[in-house]
Amino acid sequence: DVYIRTSKAALAISGRTLVLVLDGSDPVTYNFTDFKTSAKIGDITINYDENRGSLYITIVIENEPVRIRRDDNGPVLISMKTSSQFAGKTEGGCGNLNSNCGQGLKTCKPEDLKSANAACAPLYDFKSCHDAVPVESYLGTCLQVFCTDLYETNLTAAMESVCSSFEQYQTECVIATKKMYPWRNATLCPPKCSPDKVFNALIENKCQPTCGILPESSNNKGCNVEPYGGCVCAQGYSLDRGNCVRREECPCRASDNKYYNASQKFNVPGTCDVCTCDVGGQWKCNETLPTCYGSCSVYAGRFIMPFDYNVYKINNPCGRLTLVEYGNITVTLETTTTSDRKSTINTLRINVDGTETTIQTTLAGATTQNALTPRIVAGQITNNYYFVDVDGGTLRIYITREGLYYIRVDTSIFAKKVTGACGDFDGVKENDFMNKDNSGVSGQEFIAIQGACPTAEYQDVSTL
């Protein structure tokens, strides 16, 4: 385990868990994978490289950076400038940072030399590197590090420091010879991998098999790296959000940012395409629905759920709102109150080729004008429900006296081709609010445009 304390913060690293305390606040526990994207917390910057299995921490203390690297397989590297304010003032197994290598470390007592030599003996196994990187100085430091931690902490800490010495020597060897020296095994500094991963002492390709990514993508030149050792998924397994799963069990990520299990189906928004989650987290899209629909709901002229599933509330004092526009079809809703303000009158206008059909509803009932035209049919279903069909139902609207409007459109005809308060029906909810020239606008501006009302107000309620 690693413990770091400054005047403003304290950190503890154990396994792949980081506990952070800032300015006396309550401890906050993080997993390494929380930092796949670099994060800045106070004066501390943290980043986790999942491919290498390394956590990088930079702590700024009085304008001086202290850099710490903790690998999943155990080693810890601490970097400080020898010209910094810390020079000659540090203590412990890392020495006193006075540019005099080894000073600050303890010398082994005669009775402990045998144990220290046995612990550091594996450095002699790096024979093919000895000519490029002399082993003698590393051996002397290894002995001192072992005894320093043995006297100041315990044997376990001493052995961990020895393993870090081996790791550092191997790093120097790789830099000098461009070759990797696998040295860890089940008894010598065994790698600390999570149960679902195995240790690979010679990783030359950082692009591990990953759910949703084709295996051949690992052949890209950008995947080749200087050799290193780390934890990887076993043969036949792939990474899924930091964990390893059998490749045939990989989930698939869809355009709605949800994950679907192997063999599950997904209807691509804005299309009639049906995709199946196949081996390796790859979508296999070879099915098409004979007919599919999208829907938009409007209630009381104030609450709207567009085709792409946003939910928002409006206050439209002008009373008029364009819901759907497609070619020569326009659907408009007008909301007014009676003179005594005791009831609401909702008027739906459907204009096709310049011919308009209207259905006006109140709690008492409905009246319809021009209910039958060459392309429009309107009528009553039950005492409370009414409908309008355009072109045989490719656009259908269900209406209630209470002011609920359910608009259903044929995906193959309307998807990505409509505008209005119900959105553009392209399966992407983030781009529903567009100007006439297809430039993005705010929700407030969008509603003002669709209602031709500069004082209209907008509120996103999708997260409430």
Side-chain angles (χ1 to χ4, degrees):
D1 295 346
V2 181
Y3 301 92
I4 304 160
R5 181 179 295 277
T6 72
S7 59
K8 294 183 178 180
L11 298 88
I13 304 173
S14 178
R16 298 180 71 196
T17 300
L18 169 68
V19 180
L20 179 61
V21 180
L22 291 177
D23 291 327
S25 60
D26 291 335
V28 180
T29 301
Y30 301 93
N31 188 281
F32 283 10
T33 54
D34 293 334
F35 301 105
K36 290 181 182 179
T37 301
S38 182
K40 187 172 178 61
I41 306 173
D43 292 329
I44 303 173
T45 303
I46 307 173
N47 180 239
Y48 179 63
D49 185 332
E50 188 170 20
N51 290 317
R52 286 186 174 272
S54 297
L55 182 74
Y56 299 88
I57 302 174
T58 299
I59 306 175
V60 178
I61 304 174
E62 297 180 12
N63 298 319
E64 293 281 359
V66 177
R67 294 180 175 86
I68 302 155
R69 169 181 159 183
R70 167 62 185 262
D71 294 343
D72 284 351
N73 55 20
V76 178
L77 300 178
I78 300 175
S79 172
M80 300 178 185
K81 290 183 178 179
T82 55
S83 59
S84 73
Q85 60 179 306
F86 308 113
K89 299 178 182 177
T90 62
E91 298 177 351
C94 288
N96 60 11
L97 193 64
N98 70 345
S99 299
N100 187 349
C101 184
Q103 189 171 346
L105 299 178
K106 297 184 182 300
T107 301
C108 293
K109 299 175 183 178
E111 62 268 25
D112 296 316
L113 269 176
K114 183 177 180 180
S115 297
N117 277 307
C120 295
L123 278 172
Y124 290 112
D125 295 334
F126 290 80
K127 294 178 181 178
S128 56
C129 178
H130 289 176
D131 288 341
V133 182
V135 73
E136 287 76 15
S137 63
Y138 276 89
L139 180 60
T141 302
C142 180
L143 295 174
Q144 289 182 299
V145 164
F146 175 89
C147 289
T148 299
D149 276 344
L150 179 66
Y151 301 150
E152 293 188 352
T153 312
N154 52 41
L155 179 60
T156 300
M159 291 306 301
E160 288 183 356
S161 293
V162 166
C163 291
S164 294
S165 295
F166 297 162
E167 186 76 28
Q168 184 63 35
Y169 184 72
Q170 179 193 241
T171 300
E172 294 293 335
C173 288
V174 171
I175 293 173
T177 67
K178 306 301 180 185
K179 295 180 181 178
M180 188 70 176
Y181 299 84
W183 57 277
R184 292 180 181 271
N185 56 48
T187 57
L188 177 61
C189 303
K192 298 178 180 179
C193 295
S194 56
D196 61 333
K197 294 183 180 180
V198 296
F199 182 78
N200 183 349
L202 185 58
I203 300 174
E204 298 177 289
N205 188 310
K206 70 177 182 179
C207 301
Q208 294 188 41
T210 302
C211 293
I213 298 179
L214 294 173
E216 51 266 30
S217 64
S218 63
N219 297 327
N220 295 335
K221 290 184 179 179
C223 293
N224 298 326
V225 293
E226 290 290 338
Y228 68 96
C231 300
V232 299
C233 294
Q235 187 70 27
Y237 286 72
S238 293
L239 272 177
D240 172 34
R241 291 164 283 179
N243 299 314
C244 297
V245 299
R246 289 187 177 276
R247 190 151 181 81
E248 59 269 23
E249 296 176 357
C250 276
C252 297
R253 186 178 182 179
S255 58
D256 59 1
N257 289 324
K258 295 180 180 178
Y259 286 87
Y260 294 78
N261 293 328
S263 300
Q264 276 192 302
K265 296 181 182 296
F266 174 71
N267 181 200
V268 181
T271 75
C272 293
D273 296 334
V274 177
C275 299
T276 303
C277 185
D278 206 5
V279 175
Q282 297 289 322
W283 287 110
K284 186 176 182 180
C285 302
N286 57 0
E287 296 180 53
T288 303
L289 293 173
T291 307
C292 56
Y293 299 94
S295 63
C296 171
S297 300
V298 182
Y299 179 67
R302 299 186 63 197
F303 293 92
I304 301 175
M305 179 183 287
F307 295 119
D308 295 332
Y309 311 113
N310 276 317
V311 182
Y312 60 87
K313 176 184 177 182
I314 64 172
N315 178 22
N316 183 17
C318 302
R320 182 182 181 278
L321 189 65
T322 300
L323 301 180
V324 174
E325 282 188 293
Y326 167 80
N328 54 4
I329 300 174
T330 303
V331 180
T332 305
L333 178 63
E334 296 176 359
T335 303
T336 60
T337 55
T338 57
S339 56
D340 59 6
R341 296 186 175 275
K342 291 184 178 180
S343 61
T344 300
I345 303 173
N346 296 309
T347 303
L348 187 71
R349 300 183 184 275
I350 306 95
N351 192 300
V352 179
D353 293 332
T355 301
E356 186 173 87
T357 297
T358 64
I359 295 184
Q360 189 176 86
T361 57
T362 65
L363 289 176
T367 57
T368 305
Q369 292 183 357
N370 216 13
L372 185 61
T373 74
R375 295 180 63 186
I376 302 175
V377 176
Q380 186 171 4
I381 302 174
T382 66
N383 184 50
N384 189 44
Y385 286 89
Y386 304 84
F387 77 95
V388 179
D389 270 358
V390 178
D391 294 337
T394 57
L395 186 154
R396 172 171 289 181
I397 306 173
Y398 294 101
I399 308 159
T400 71
R401 295 182 184 181
E402 290 83 6
L404 175 64
Y405 296 84
Y406 179 83
I407 303 171
R408 192 193 73 175
V409 297
D410 188 318
T411 299
S412 63
I413 298 173
F414 290 84
K416 303 179 183 179
K417 299 176 182 176
V418 296
T419 59
C422 282
D424 56 9
F425 193 20
D426 66 349
V428 182
K429 64 182 181 180
E430 289 80 12
N431 68 354
D432 272 350
F433 301 145
M434 307 293 287
N435 207 336
K436 296 292 184 182
D437 61 0
N438 288 325
S439 60
V441 295
S442 67
Q444 184 81 26
E445 294 171 311
F446 178 74
I447 292 304
I449 293 168
Q450 303 306 324
C453 186
T455 58
E457 298 175 356
Y458 160 88
Q459 180 186 0
D460 183 356
V461 295
S462 56
T463 58
L464 298 182

